[in-house]
Amino acid sequence: MDELNKEEIVDNINNEQAKTRKGHLILKKREGVYEESSKYCLFIGSNKRSLILKNFMYDIYSIYKPLTCYMPKAHSNLSNIIDKIDKLVDICVHNNCSFFFSVFSTKKKPSRFIIGRLYNNKILDYYVFSLISYIPLKLFPLSKEILYDTKPIVLIQGSYFEQNETNRYVKNILFDFFKHKNVDTFSKKSIQRLIVISAYQKNNEINADLGKMYK
């Protein structure tokens, strides 16, 4: 029997198990990635941001590290950052980052921050949030004793996240962002951080809280 070519093998093994070595190799290449690698995040400053926003970004950076690339200085080429997503993607790709986080402020839209993620070196999605209130980490004395490279438990709660598909995507990106590095195993003693994200609706306004608890 003549050796089957690649196209014939693909047809034969579609929804079936491969019976030849070449078929196994083709199936292996077609399989998805079961375990994603830990994701690095680019923290970058826009050209306009307040001191509060700078401190807020630094605290989020502290929570996320060591999987980070930190560029806190103002970037003049990132004015109107929403229109410069392609530029952010290029910087992420150059620094091998799958996430980006930035803060910006304008007269019409003060105290904003943006979280975005990449897939195959292209923009997957991004979301813009307003910072309403903020308590710096330095006001919590125990935060200095926490090892920031430990994997946290992430709890996301609130019916808002299940109201529609967009809200579910927001829930997904927040969990993906804060879950930190991938680990095979962990012990009870290694759990030092709990990150709680809550969302609720009041007077037709959506409010979200990011809480962080320490052991």
Side-chain angles (χ1 to χ4, degrees), residues 17-34:
Q17 291 186 350
K19 297 180 180 179
T20 65
R21 179 176 177 275
K22 185 179 289 187
H24 281 292
L25 292 175
I26 295 173
L27 272 183
K28 190 68 175 177
K29 291 181 179 180
R30 294 170 64 193
E31 289 179 352
V33 178
Y34 293 106

Side-chain angles (χ1 to χ4, degrees), residues 103-131:
V103 292
F104 62 98
S105 183
T106 64
K107 290 183 179 180
K108 293 183 178 180
K109 298 179 179 180
S111 299
R112 295 290 185 100
F113 64 96
I114 181 173
I115 300 176
R117 56 184 169 179
L118 281 61
Y119 179 75
N120 281 346
N121 293 334
K122 295 181 180 179
I123 187 68
L124 175 62
D125 54 2
Y126 66 89
Y127 297 90
V128 178
F129 304 86
S130 295
L131 182 64

Side-chain angles (χ1 to χ4, degrees), residues 142-169:
L142 289 179
S143 65
K144 297 179 180 179
E145 302 177 9
I146 299 300
L147 298 176
Y148 282 104
D149 62 346
T150 57
K151 185 175 179 64
I153 293 177
V154 181
L155 174 62
I156 300 180
Q157 59 187 10
S159 59
Y160 165 78
F161 289 117
E162 305 299 332
Q163 288 181 359
N164 53 56
E165 187 174 15
T166 299
N167 295 5
R168 286 190 286 271
Y169 282 136

